[in-house]
Every structure is written in C-alpha cells, then in structure tokens.
C-alpha cells in the first residue's frame, strides 16, 4: 500500500500590526478547503497544512507558532503576507523578515502578499522589474519607495508564478481561493467558495486553468533558472543561456529541468508567455499582434499556434469569451 503524500503547507506570516481578521479568515478558508480535499483522498490524510510564522525574541529568528500538522520537516510551499491596518514597515524594520523570506524563496517557497504586505515583499528585492499590486491608496507610495517595481492597481491579483500580489484589504479572500485552486484544483476551490458564499475569482472559474509551476522540487540550480524565467517573462531566452544560468552542461540541464518541473524548457517558457498573453487578452485592447510581441513572440502566426495548443482556443476566441472588453 503506497504511503500518502505529505500535505502541502501554506504558511501565514504574523508581522507587526497584521490584520488578525485576515489571518484567522485565511486559516479557516484553508482548513475548510482541506476538509473538502481530504474526503477525496483514499488515505483520508490531510491535503493542506496551515501554519503561522512569527519573529521570536531571538534576533532574526522566525518560527512556527501554530501548525495543523506539527512535526513535518521542510519549508512551507507557500508563504502569505496578510494585510495590515498599520503603516508599511520601514526598510530597517523589515530587513530581518526580508532576509528570511528571501531564504525561503531560494528554497522553492512561493511568496504572496495582500495589500500593505506588498511593501514587505518588495523589501526582499524579488519584485524588482516585475508587476505587482497593492491597495490603491498606497500605489504611489509603493512606486516611489520601490521605483523598480511596476505597480498596477487596476488588477486585483497579479500572479508571477513564484510571487503573487493581491490588492485591497479584503483581497485575501480572492488570494486564498486562488491558492486553493492552484494547490487542490478548481473543484475544491468552487466548493469552498460556495460554502463561504464568496464569489470565486474570475479566472479560476474558467475551464482553462492558469499555469502552476512546480517550485518545491529541491533542485537549487533549476530553481534559479525558474526564478530568472519568471522575472524576465521568459522573453528572449535560449537553451544555452538557461544552461549557463544553471551552470550545467546543456544535456544535463535538459534532463534535470524536466525531472524537476515536468516540462521541457521550451514548453515551460511557452506556458509562461501564454499566461502573460492571456492576461493582456482579458484586460487590454491591444491587438493580437501587439500582444504576441509583448509576450515574447516575433511571429504572430507562431504565437497563435502555441496559444491554441495550450488553451484550446485561438487568441481571438479567448478574448471574445473571457475578455472584459469583449463581454456583452
């Protein structure tokens, strides 16, 4: 009889002035989703593990202070920075936590933030040259304090694969359901949303799920390449460049990349580019040709073929079905 796989851990960081309603609300949401998912597991073992993390009195030490599956080793699969009713932490105040978060990210943990939590996430340097969102009242402050972050508060959630940011104070419900969809599937997400009487996030209701890369595989050299691809949008990257980033010979890199991620490097890059294209088709009025170039494709014809292969729809049909500007 095969042994049940360990539960996927979602950690919630309790930093100064954190909104406790969000902390406990997220904990309840994930525990409810875990209840629904556990019913589907033959072993009946938990599918999700929820933990709370907090700085201790010891300098720069962050420990679990709550855990639904104590004793299981390893870093969390996801770390979530909830909103706060206080002002954003200063760089000096945030430095110890930012260092700790960078270390977890380097181990394969996906980092996510809600509202003012984006400031702490930005202190890690991991949002540099990436899109991010926060509460609209703090957009200008975030952009001024971190000029290398591309702030876009028109979007409620921005998913960069290994880092996810959500907007306003109550966006924790949307982010929580998005993580449930990513980790447990759309059926569990929808059941959780229905039980809580919360509207599911728009994209997660659709029949074409978003790309959810595997980041907790433990291969540091491959993870380094994944982080680079997500930060660059996988534009203008080549196999030699990826192998060089990993400091591996090309054949070794190909073998280890596929083992770690389940994709060939070209397929992985295609999924990342198509994900960006989907967002632009949903929310912008750019032409398909302009979106193809912005997503990293010089040939719009090649872009259309890849898009159709991954989503099952042409870019035009996708926009007609899911685009905000194309809906009746």
């Amino acid at each position: 009889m095969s042994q049940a796989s360990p539960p996927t851990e979602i950690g919630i960081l309790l930093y100064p002035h954190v909104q406790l309603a969000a902390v406990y609300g997220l904990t309840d949401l994930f525990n409810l989703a875990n209840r629904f998912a556990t019913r589907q597991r033959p072993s009946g073992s938990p599918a999700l593990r929820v933990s709370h993390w907090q700085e201790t009195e010891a300098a720069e030490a962050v420990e679990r202070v709550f855990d639904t599956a104590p004793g299981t080793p390893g870093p969390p699969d996801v770390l979530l920075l909830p909103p706060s009713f206080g002002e954003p932490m200063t760089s000096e105040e945030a430095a110890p936590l930012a260092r700790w978060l960078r270390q977890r990210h380097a181990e394969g943990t996906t980092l996510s933030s809600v509202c003012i939590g984006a400031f702490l996430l930005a202190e890690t340097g991991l949002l540099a040259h990436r899109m991010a969102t926060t509460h609209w009242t703090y957009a200008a402050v975030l952009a001024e304090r971190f000029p290398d972050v591309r702030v876009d508060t028109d979007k409620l959630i921005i998913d960069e694969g290994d880092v996810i940011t959500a907007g306003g104070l109550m966006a924790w419900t949307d982010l929580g359901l998005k993580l449930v969809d990513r980790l447990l599937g759309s059926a569990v997400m929808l059941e959780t949303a229905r039980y809580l009487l919360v509207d599911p996030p728009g994209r997660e209701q659709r029949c074409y799920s978003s790309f959810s890369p595997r980041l907790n595989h433990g291969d540091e050299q491959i993870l380094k390449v994944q982080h680079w691809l997500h930060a660059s949008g996988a534009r203008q990257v080549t196999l030699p460049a990826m192998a060089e980033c990993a400091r591996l010979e090309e054949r070794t890199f190909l073998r280890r990349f596929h083992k770690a991620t389940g994709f060939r490097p070209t397929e992985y890059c295609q999924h990342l580019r198509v994900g960006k294209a989907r967002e632009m088709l949903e929310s912008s009025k750019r032409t398909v040709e302009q979106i193809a170039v912005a997503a990293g494709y010089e040939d719009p014809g090649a872009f259309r073929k890849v898009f159709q292969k991954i989503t099952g729809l042409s870019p035009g049909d996708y926009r007609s079905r899911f685009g905000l500007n194309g809906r009746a």
Side-chain angles (χ1 to χ4, degrees):
M1 186 173 179
S2 60
Q3 187 175 5
S5 58
T8 300
E9 181 180 356
I10 301 179
I12 302 173
L13 183 63
L14 280 61
Y15 60 94
H17 308 296
V18 70
Q19 184 189 354
L20 293 178
V23 172
Y24 296 124
L26 283 163
T27 302
D28 288 343
L29 187 154
F30 294 138
N31 282 331
L32 180 63
N34 177 62
R35 184 196 307 173
F36 294 140
T38 299
R39 293 175 184 169
Q40 303 173 7
R41 290 162 68 95
S43 64
S45 59
L48 275 187
R49 171 188 185 186
V50 186
S51 58
H52 296 174
W53 296 73
Q54 190 169 24
E55 270 190 297
T56 63
E57 294 182 3
E60 301 186 18
V62 183
E63 297 179 354
R64 289 183 182 91
V65 293
F66 170 82
D67 193 348
T68 60
T72 308
D77 298 274
V78 179
L79 267 169
L80 200 153
L81 313 181
S84 167
F85 283 130
E87 291 299 310
M89 299 172 70
T90 66
S91 295
E92 183 178 358
E93 291 170 337
L97 285 174
R99 281 193 292 271
W100 182 79
L101 288 168
R102 279 197 302 271
Q103 291 168 357
R104 303 292 77 75
H105 181 262
E107 294 172 344
T109 298
T110 297
L111 302 181
S112 55
S113 68
V114 183
C115 192
I116 286 179
F119 284 81
L120 177 54
L121 184 54
E123 287 289 351
T124 67
L126 297 170
L127 293 182
H129 312 298
R130 298 202 195 197
M131 298 289 293
T133 189
T134 186
H135 194 287
W136 61 271
T137 59
Y138 284 94
V141 180
L142 184 66
E144 181 179 0
R145 183 163 158 183
F146 303 97
D148 54 357
V149 177
R150 292 180 288 159
V151 180
D152 182 1
T153 53
D154 288 339
K155 296 180 180 178
L156 186 63
I157 294 180
I158 296 179
D159 185 352
E160 293 276 315
D162 57 334
V163 290
I164 309 171
T165 54
L169 281 165
M170 292 302 295
W172 61 263
T173 59
D174 300 86
L175 179 59
L177 289 172
K178 183 174 186 65
L179 290 172
V180 170
D181 180 77
R182 172 186 282 203
L183 300 173
L184 301 178
S186 59
V188 173
M189 183 276 291
L190 289 169
E191 189 174 8
T192 304
R194 282 195 295 265
Y195 190 92
L196 294 173
L197 299 180
V198 176
D199 289 335
R203 182 187 299 177
E204 285 75 7
Q205 296 184 77
R206 302 167 186 168
C207 56
Y208 304 105
S209 61
S210 56
F211 179 47
S212 301
R214 189 188 306 163
L215 298 167
N216 59 351
H217 45 70
D219 190 328
E220 294 183 4
Q221 288 166 285
I222 299 303
L223 182 60
K224 180 182 178 183
V225 176
Q226 289 177 271
H227 287 162
W228 173 51
L229 292 175
H230 285 278
S232 66
R235 292 184 293 271
Q236 298 179 337
V237 294
T238 63
L239 175 58
M242 287 186 276
E244 182 179 352
C245 178
R247 296 178 180 259
L248 294 171
E249 188 269 336
E250 287 185 20
R251 290 181 61 183
T252 303
F253 168 73
L254 285 169
R255 175 177 53 79
R256 284 176 53 176
F257 190 94
H258 188 272
K259 180 181 179 182
T261 69
F263 292 91
R264 293 190 293 271
T266 301
E267 294 173 330
Y268 194 94
C269 292
Q270 288 174 343
H271 277 277
L272 284 178
R273 292 170 185 160
V274 166
K276 293 296 182 184
R278 286 172 55 177
E279 292 180 1
M280 288 183 276
L281 286 166
E282 292 167 10
S283 60
S284 79
K285 294 183 179 180
R286 295 187 190 183
T287 66
V288 172
E289 289 73 19
Q290 290 171 330
I291 288 175
V293 172
Y297 289 90
E298 296 181 3
D299 181 359
F303 164 70
R304 285 185 172 91
K305 289 180 181 178
V306 172
F307 192 95
Q308 176 97 31
K309 178 181 178 182
I310 290 177
T311 68
L313 296 171
S314 70
D317 288 341
Y318 186 90
R319 169 172 272 164
S320 297
R321 187 168 182 178
F322 300 130
L324 295 177
N325 297 311
R327 294 177 186 171

